[in-house]
Amino acid sequence: MAGSAHGHTPAAWTGVTISFIGFCVAGVLMVANNPLGFWAGMGIVVLGGVVGLIMKMMGLGKAKESDEQRELRESAARAQLAS
């Protein structure tokens, strides 16, 4: 999994960081019995997903693998296992 660079992009890091902050805000305000603040925190969570998606569309995320790239990767893995 480490070789695939899954999620190692500015879009992923930014989206997850914003969502994490939103979960923290929502958790603290839920314990503090503040429903409005809780939902504001959940809004921050959604905002993190939107920001990550926009950044990915701007080219800051990982591009989808084409069928040709997938076939080449799989054949290289088979060759490595055979040797």
Side-chain angles (χ1 to χ4, degrees):
M1 207 29 129
S4 68
H6 175 74
H8 295 261
T9 65
W13 279 101
T14 304
V16 168
T17 300
I18 293 171
S19 294
F20 178 72
I21 291 168
F23 275 115
C24 291
V25 168
V28 167
L29 293 173
M30 180 176 61
V31 172
N33 197 20
N34 184 341
L36 184 60
F38 166 79
W39 288 110
M42 294 307 292
I44 295 171
V45 171
V46 172
L47 178 67
V50 171
V51 168
L53 183 62
I54 290 171
M55 288 179 71
K56 182 178 178 184
M57 291 185 333
M58 291 172 53
L60 296 171
K62 185 175 179 185
K64 289 206 180 233
E65 188 176 54
S66 69
D67 289 337
E68 182 181 335
Q69 290 172 325
R70 183 182 46 79
E71 289 172 9
L72 287 172
R73 181 181 45 79
E74 289 173 354
S75 66
R78 282 191 300 270
Q80 187 177 19
L81 288 174
S83 61

